[in-house]
Amino acid sequence: MSTETSALDFVVTPAAHRMAPEDRQRLLADPGFGRLFTEHMVRIDWNRDRGWHGAELRPYSPLQLDPAVSVLHYAQAVFEGLKAFRQPDGGISAFRPDSHAARFRRSARRLALPELPESIFIEAIDRLMSIDGEWVPSAPEHSLYLRPFMFASEVGLGVRPSSKVTFLLIGSPSGSYFPSGVKPVTVWLSEDFSRAAPGGTGEAKTGGNYAGGLLAQAQAAEQGCDQVVWLDSQEHRWVEEMGGMNLCFVFGSGQKARLMTPALTGTLLPGITRDALLKLAVDLGYQAEEGRISTEEWRAGCADGSLTEVFACGTAAVITPVGSVKSARGSWTVGDGKPGEVTMRLRQSLVDIQRGAAPDPHEWMHPVGRIA
Ligand SMILES: *Cc1c(COP(=O)(O)O)cnc(C)c1O
C-alpha cells in the first residue's frame, strides 16, 4: 500500500526547524488526548473544475480563513479518527485505514462533499508518517491519533454545496485513555434530546452531530454522569449509542456469553471498532449479533442477572465499561459495577492486535510511512 504511486503530485516542504528528540520524548511521556500535534500536516484542495489538486505535506500551522467561508456558517464538513501504533519491529501500522477511508467517502457523500479516493486518503497517512513517524509513541496503549477532515472552503453566504473544499490531515500523539486502569463510567439516558433522526446525518461523521449533543452531555454531567446514552428519536426507548461511541451488551457469562450490539438503523454511526469486536467476539468463541434493546429490557436484564456486562467502544478509548445507569425513572447497576470479564478479554485481544503482540487474522493492521 505504501509503495502505490499517487495520482497526485505531493509538494513536500519540511519544517525549517525540527524539535529536538529529547524535547519530543518529554512531550510523548504524557501526551494526554488531542492537545499535542506533530510537526507537519497534509493539505489537499478540491474545486469543481480541477478536482483534487495542490497536495502538500507541509509544516503544521494555523489556517487563514475568510470570515465568509461556508463551513463556518453551514457546517458542511466531515472527519475521521483512526490510530497508528508502534510495532515490535519499530515500524508503524495503522488500524483499518481502508475502512476509515471508505467511511470518509460515505460521510462526504451525505454532506454533499466530494469523495476523496481511498488511495489518496491512505497516501496522506503514509506521507505524514514518513516525516513525523518519530511522533508515534511506543508506550503500551499509547498511539498516534490521526484526524483526517474536509470542509467547505468556498467564500460566500449562499446555501449550496461548496465549489471549493479543503482536506487536511493532522496527527496527535495520545496516551492511554485510562492511565490508572480501566474505570467504568456512569451513563445518563437522555429522553429530552436526540442525537440523530431517520433521514438525518447520524450515520455520517460530521461535526454537527457532536455540536448538537453537547447540551445533552452537559445535562448528563449535571446528573453526576460521565456520558450520555442516545435513544431512538421517535419512542425514546431503543438504545442507540453512548456519546461518540457504540454500545455492546453481554448476556450470560463464560464461554456461553453472547454479545449484542444495536443494529445499524441509519441513525447510528457505523463504528469500525464495533465491527472489529463483532468479529473478535466470534474468534474468542462467543456468540455475536446485531439486535436491539430497549431501556426497560436493559434494566430488567440487569435485575434478573441475564444481562451481565455493558461497554462502549470506539477508536479513542477502545472499550469503556458501563458500570451504572441513571435515568429520569430510576438508576441501576450493571453486574457488580466493575469491568466485566468478557469486556476486558475483548479489550485485551484488540489492543494486542493493534500493538503487534498477537496475530492479525483479519489483516486489520497496515504498515504506513515507508515512503522513500
Ligand atoms: C466515531 C464514532 C463512533 C465510533 O467509531 P469508531 O470507528 O469505532 O471510532 C461511534 N459513534 C459516533 C457518534 C462516532 O462519531
Side-chain angles (χ1 to χ4, degrees), residues 15-180:
H17 301 286
R18 299 300 299 269
M19 186 178 286
E22 55 276 20
D23 292 337
R24 187 175 54 239
Q25 284 316 318
R26 189 154 5 90
L27 290 173
L28 288 183
D30 179 24
F33 181 78
R35 58 179 179 82
L36 286 180
F37 299 96
T38 72
E39 292 165 274
H40 297 84
M41 63 187 194
V42 170
R43 176 184 176 134
I44 309 174
D45 292 316
W46 178 91
N47 69 31
R48 203 156 281 148
D49 297 333
R50 297 178 62 193
W52 296 104
H53 66 279
E56 292 183 274
L57 175 64
R58 46 166 299 148
Y60 185 100
S61 68
L63 307 173
Q64 206 169 30
L65 292 178
D66 189 289
V69 75
S70 175
V71 67
L72 297 180
H73 306 274
Y74 309 125
Q76 193 194 5
V78 294
F79 69 95
E80 265 305 321
L82 70 161
K83 281 178 168 176
F85 298 85
R86 183 68 63 192
Q87 299 300 297
D89 67 358
I92 303 165
S93 289
F95 183 70
R96 306 189 70 178
D98 45 348
S99 304
H100 286 275
R103 189 172 66 187
F104 194 56
R105 288 182 71 150
R106 292 198 305 272
S107 295
R109 205 176 309 147
R110 178 62 185 85
L111 273 287
L113 284 161
E115 294 176 39
L116 184 75
E118 274 101 340
S119 59
I120 299 180
F121 181 99
I122 286 165
E123 178 170 8
I125 295 171
D126 262 331
R127 295 270 175 187
L128 186 64
M129 290 298 86
S130 71
I131 199 161
D132 280 346
E134 296 298 324
W135 284 91
V136 180
S138 49
E141 303 229 357
H142 288 210
S143 61
L144 186 82
Y145 183 80
L146 293 161
R147 169 53 61 88
F149 60 107
M150 175 197 310
F151 60 90
S153 47
E154 182 175 353
V155 174
L157 300 182
V159 180
R160 57 173 174 268
S162 184
S163 64
K164 282 178 68 184
V165 168
T166 303
F167 167 86
L168 292 166
L169 168 66
I170 56 176
S172 177
S174 73
S176 170
Y177 201 83
F178 298 105
S180 45

Side-chain angles (χ1 to χ4, degrees), residues 20-21 46 122 124 133 148 172 213 227 241 262 291 334 336 342 354 359:
W46 178 91
I122 286 165
S172 177
Q227 287 286 340
E241 299 194 60
V334 179
D336 59 5
V342 176
Q354 291 177 329

Side-chain angles (χ1 to χ4, degrees), residues 79-82 100 103 145 195 202 204-206 209-210 230 241-246 268-275 313-316 318:
F79 69 95
E80 265 305 321
L82 70 161
H100 286 275
R103 189 172 66 187
Y145 183 80
R195 190 191 81 91
K205 231 167 157 62
T206 182
N209 292 340
Y210 278 72
W230 301 112
E241 299 194 60
M242 181 193 93
M245 303 174 81
N246 294 113
L268 281 74
L269 196 291
I272 289 160
T273 316
R274 171 191 180 280
D275 179 78
C313 61
T315 295
V318 192

Side-chain angles (χ1 to χ4, degrees), residues 182 248-250 257 259 277 284 286 308-312 318-322 334 338-350:
V182 174
C248 292
F249 296 81
V250 179
L259 185 75
L277 290 172
L284 294 179
Y286 303 123
T308 49
E309 305 176 28
V310 179
F311 62 85
V318 192
I319 282 184
T320 304
V322 176
V334 179
K338 301 204 176 72
E341 187 192 308
V342 176
T343 301
M344 293 310 281
R345 198 163 162 233
L346 283 166
R347 187 174 198 284
Q348 195 59 46
S349 303
L350 184 54

